[in-house]
Amino acid sequence: MPVITSSKTQAQYDVIVVGSGAGGGQAAYTLAMAGVKVLMLEAGRNYDPVRETPMFQISAQAPLRDAGTPDKPWGFYDATVDGGWVVPGEPYVSASAAPGRNFTWWRARMLGGRTNHWGRIALRNGPYDFKARSRDGLGFDWPISYEDLAPYYDKVEMLIGVYGSNEGLENTPNSSSGVLLPPPRPRAGELLAQQRATRLGVQVIPAHRAVLSVKQDADNIPAKLHPGNPAAQGILADAMRARAACFWATSCGRGCAIKANYQSTTVHLPPALATGNLDIVTDAMAREVTVDENGKATGIAYLDKPTGEERIVKARVVVLAASSAESVRILLNSRSPRFPNGLANSSGLLGKHIMDTVGAGLGGHVPLLENLPLHNEDGAGGDHLYAPWWLYREQLAGKLGFARGYHVEFGTGRQMPNLGAAAGLDSLTGGSYGRQFKEDARRYYGARIYFSGRGEMIPNDDSFCELDPVVKDRWGIPVLRFYWKWSDHELRQVAHMQQTFAALIEAMGGKANAPAKDPLSVIRPGGNVKHEVGGARMGSDPKKSVSTPWSRAWDVKNLFFADGAPFCGNADKNPTLTIMALAWRTADHVLEEMQRGNL
Ligand SMILES: Cc1cc2nc3c(=O)[nH]c(=O)nc-3n(C[C@H](O)[C@H](O)[C@H](O)COP(=O)(O)OP(=O)(O)OC[C@H]3O[C@@H](n4cnc5c(N)ncnc54)[C@H](O)[C@@H]3O)c2cc1C
Ligand code: SF4
């Protein structure tokens, strides 16, 4: 991936984008394709999936046979480089270690951010999700509606390529006709779950994932995405033709050298660079947004990691997309006598109401899936089917005891075994060994199923971040301190997940592991699902929100967000598709405001 060094940056850009993940990649793409001169600053190193992805190595070839380690929690071949739960020299603080109060933070430090190894589950928020407070009186409404974002969901889905189907289910929006790619065929365990779940009133339908099940329509999509811009259309058509379709054999978590799944590094950045309008500086750790005497943003002060020098770059517009909490941190660190509490914080709400996805799961053994004929179930490297939330009416009628829903993701199949694939079989084998154990392993392999709930969290006053008064990173920049609390709504939601998953496994003729008695013992810690959003909530009142409905900071006319920071709620739908749709909409707004001479 061609990048420039700090010494080669121009004196002035139209726009600086901080961060190169889902939001930064999308914002830079939209702006560069429209002819705007963009500088992207990325704290991590340059990374090129085409050259660096270990597509075909098997677990047995890896150190420790691909077992997770602190710097590679998901195994040696996982795409994460220089990141994870611990980033050396870049600590953060969780104010509490108590169950339900602690916060864990997954960060990537590489070009493309977490899009290199994310799960690619790409769900739209539904109409209810934007107006949650109006429905049940809790949390916040967004100042925009589903209709505002729907055209951008279509555009992002067409650009990145998302497989799935339109089922017309409640609060589970259809994409426009022709936008989605065909879903892959379900695995055996998914088919069985689909069949038996109907007994519980649960509908199991094709998942939506950012994976090319077939090649994209490079002849027609570019004109739809860039009408009246033949140069952009040509560049995008070439970029789409350079992407192959999935060949159903490898692990998406390693990245994809053939560009079949969405990574910012394979989908957003190559065409944006091909315009000649995008410069990227990697190893550039943004510290502060610089402002002039009128409080307008002038650029970014950053640490050039290779030299250790601090540098300043300038632009008419600054777009923060460092991931929600990092963008908040940059603004809290943009303190000055004029802005003693940080920039864009006149409401005092910067860093407040952060959210994650509620996560808990349950597994079990399903005898009907034993001894299946040998076949390859690697598939598209993730879920082929899932179950959207199905109890909207019961919930609204107050019958469930918790206010928001969850969807169900599945872990099933006979993928390539890794270390631990045969662990825990003793309860079935009675402790066999030798030839008998090999036979048992073959019999039981693929007969386990694991259901994961992914639920909506209601924003609360006890979940927020601020600057730690003492701890600093290796460059002396103050770090974040996180405060967290799950409410009873989330804990009761998790109890419901456990009961549902046990019932699903039993409906499949299987035996579920024992559901937890105390939801606090199984709910994932804050941040642990890695869907953290919020902290610069958008709204229509500058006193009660940090950003406008266009994700612009209320206090700074030329400062925008393109990550999850402006989220008002965190629906059960995984957030990244919404981050990208919002980023495209924000970039369009920046273009319009630039053309009007307002920026
Ligand atoms: C294992 C895993 C699985 C996931 N699965 C899914 C899924 O299936 N579906 C889904 O919707 N979401 C999923 N997510 C979440 C998803 O990855 C994030 O929502 C998404 O990447 C957020 O995009 P972003 O652009 O805001 O941030 P990121 O992708 O994190 O990118 C931010 C970038 O900014 C850089 N940066 C940070 N600070 C600075 C700074 N000070 N200066 C310069 N650069 C900086 C970082 O190095 C990083 O490259 C998953 C995440 C993980 C880790
Ligand atoms: S499963 Fe498909 S999309 Fe995922 S890494 Fe392999 S080829 Fe790429």
Side-chain angles (χ1 to χ4, degrees), residues 118-131:
W118 71 308
R120 277 97 185 168
I121 296 179
L123 303 175
R124 295 180 175 210
N125 278 4
Y128 301 167
D129 302 322
F130 291 94
K131 302 294 167 196

Side-chain angles (χ1 to χ4, degrees), residues 387-472:
W389 178 236
W390 63 101
L391 295 171
Y392 286 105
R393 275 176 221 160
E394 292 78 352
Q395 194 156 48
L396 201 58
K399 291 182 182 164
L400 300 186
F402 59 98
R404 305 284 169 77
Y406 59 91
H407 72 259
V408 189
E409 299 175 7
F410 300 9
T412 170
R414 301 170 57 92
Q415 289 86 349
M416 186 183 4
N418 57 8
L419 186 79
L425 285 184
D426 321 21
S427 60
L428 299 166
T429 65
S432 62
Y433 61 92
R435 179 189 293 272
Q436 181 60 46
F437 178 71
K438 285 184 183 170
E439 281 172 19
D440 286 343
R442 284 192 195 98
R443 170 181 170 185
Y444 294 122
Y445 192 55
R448 281 195 205 138
I449 193 154
Y450 193 84
F451 291 102
S452 300
R454 293 286 176 261
E456 176 165 353
M457 172 187 179
I458 302 168
N460 66 60
D461 292 345
D462 296 310
S463 300
F464 62 98
C465 58
E466 62 185 18
L467 292 182
D468 190 275
V470 179
V471 184
K472 296 187 169 57

Side-chain angles (χ1 to χ4, degrees), residues 55 211 246-247 250-252 255-256 258 260-261 379-381:
M55 293 280 276
V211 167
C246 176
F247 52 70
T250 54
S251 161
C252 284
C256 189
I258 61 165
N261 65 30

